[in-house]
Amino acid sequence: MSVNGLGELEAAVMDVLWQVGSPLPVREVRNRLTTGRTLAYTTVMTVLDNLHRKEWVLREMHGRAWHYRPAGTREELVARSLRRVLETTCRPDVVLLHFARAASDRELAVLRQVLDERAGGDR
């Protein structure tokens, strides 16, 4: 597995879409992939359909072809994935405790900053 629960090919497709920054048809995504192997058009189409189902990409019809774009920035989609993990666990508080105990000093500083901002906004 690669980026946040995505498979290696899914992550490679997302990298292409993030790098380009504009909607791409399947054929163009396929042409830009640098996986070291030749992929069938239908393989890339299936990956994009799966990413659409997982809400990682949005698609719009242009002529007769779907054009795909990321549903958000890398950071936004990773944060959404983390949120979904917490929402689907029976003990999110315990998961957060384990995360906090394993967090780096930099990660803890970011968490402190956000908590301080939220506390200041409640006054």
Side-chain angles (χ1 to χ4, degrees):
M1 294 299 258
S2 188
V3 176
N4 315 297
L6 295 181
E8 186 178 324
L9 187 51
E10 289 174 324
V13 166
M14 289 305 302
D15 284 340
V16 167
L17 294 174
W18 279 315
Q19 288 168 6
V20 172
S22 60
L24 292 176
V26 175
R27 191 166 312 285
E28 187 63 29
V29 172
R30 179 181 175 260
N31 291 344
R32 291 173 181 262
L33 281 170
T34 56
T35 61
R37 57 189 171 135
T38 304
L39 298 168
Y41 176 92
T42 54
T43 299
V44 178
M45 182 177 63
T46 299
V47 169
L48 284 162
D49 283 340
N50 289 340
L51 288 168
H52 180 257
R53 182 180 43 76
K54 293 178 180 181
E55 300 178 351
W56 279 75
V57 299
L58 303 172
R59 66 183 180 190
E60 51 198 46
M61 187 64 78
H62 289 264
R64 296 177 54 183
W66 288 111
H67 283 58
Y68 295 85
R69 64 184 171 89
T73 65
R74 182 183 309 263
E75 295 78 12
E76 289 167 337
L77 294 175
V78 169
R80 187 186 313 161
S81 293
L82 291 172
R83 165 64 37 214
R84 286 182 179 154
V85 167
L86 288 174
E87 289 170 350
T88 58
T89 185
C90 61
R91 302 279 312 272
D93 53 338
V94 175
V95 172
L96 284 171
L97 285 172
H98 283 288
F99 174 79
R101 287 183 182 129
S104 69
D105 290 342
R106 171 77 179 119
E107 292 163 342
L108 290 173
V110 170
L111 289 172
R112 271 190 208 95
Q113 178 184 350
V114 172
L115 292 172
D116 289 346
E117 288 170 7
R118 288 189 73 173
D122 291 341
R123 292 180 191 163

